[in-house]
Amino acid sequence: NAGVTQTPKFRVLKTGQSMTLLCAQDMNHEYMYWYRQDPGMGLRLIHYSVGEGTTAKGEVPDGYNVSRLKKQNFLLGLESAAPSQTSVYFCASSYQGGLKREKLFFGSGTQLSVL
Amino acid sequence: KNEVEQSPQNLTAQEGEFITINCSYSVGISALHWLQQHPGGGIVSLFMLSSGKKKHGRLIATINIQEKHSSLHITASHPRDSAVYICAVRLGFTSGSRLTFGEGTQLTVNP
């Protein structure tokens, strides 16, 4: 099993360009999350999904959109990139087994630089 | 004040030492996670706690709900334990509720 796979691993954008980050999981997890990690701050939730076809805003959703058309895929889009979106992005998934059985699985991260 | 505070921010130890990393939180929670972030950036889940204590190999995690405090202990530390250790708390009672993360503790274990 691959677990959680993120692509791409690195990307450099110019201000105003758009891009999509892809997250795929092969564990049949219901819940998927997109986080960003910035120096001196903890991971912050951008958007999340509790099942196919559903998405919800997290802590820092502005400037991002997401889609969950298939259960195994969770896409994060930047429509018009800004330098403030320079960050490391992590996708994660978890099994909907109730809180006592929850375990998070993370992708390897995407380093995004916006010039 | 952050909802999740970790201490220390940085910790350097000699191989074989017993290590403790602390996590304090300010509100009631339903669960607490300990994560390990490798030097290459990948993040691995170590423990999920809602009460008591869990042990896996040389790692032990405890939580005191009344005192809003958790500790991660590493016995007989080894250079391969060098990583950032992250505490995260779940504020709500469903898996969709938000996790709040601490800033992490950078651990370096020297041979």
Side-chain angles (χ1 to χ4, degrees), chain B residues 14-37:
Chain B
Q14 289 300 122
E15 184 173 356
E17 287 185 2
F18 181 85
I19 288 163
T20 296
I21 298 170
N22 297 299
C23 176
S24 297
Y25 49 93
S26 57
V27 296
I29 65 169
S30 54
L32 183 143
H33 294 256
W34 279 105
L35 309 169
Q36 180 192 53
Q37 186 166 23

Side-chain angles (χ1 to χ4, degrees), chain B residues 25-62:
Chain B
Y25 49 93
S26 57
V27 296
I29 65 169
S30 54
L32 183 143
H33 294 256
W34 279 105
L35 309 169
Q36 180 192 53
Q37 186 166 23
H38 299 295
I43 301 173
V44 175
S45 175
L46 298 175
F47 296 103
M48 194 283 291
L49 295 161
S50 55
S51 63
K53 175 180 174 178
K54 286 189 176 179
K55 183 176 188 291
H56 184 260
R58 296 180 294 106
L59 300 177
I60 303 166
T62 63

Side-chain angles (χ1 to χ4, degrees), chain A residues 28 43 50 81 87 105:
Chain A
N28 202 34
L43 287 155
V50 300
S87 187
F105 293 82

Side-chain angles (χ1 to χ4, degrees), chain A residues 62-78:
Chain A
D62 294 341
Y64 305 94
N65 57 75
V66 288
S67 64
R68 184 105 182 263
L69 298 180
K70 294 183 179 180
K71 186 177 183 179
Q72 63 267 34
N73 295 336
F74 194 30
L75 278 63
L76 177 71
L78 286 72

Side-chain angles (χ1 to χ4, degrees), chain A residues 1 8 28 33-34 46 53 57 63 65 75 86 88 93 104 109-110:
Chain A
N1 287 344
N28 202 34
Y33 314 84
W34 275 108
I46 304 170
K57 293 181 180 180
N65 57 75
L75 278 63
T86 293
V88 180
S93 70
L104 289 166
T110 297

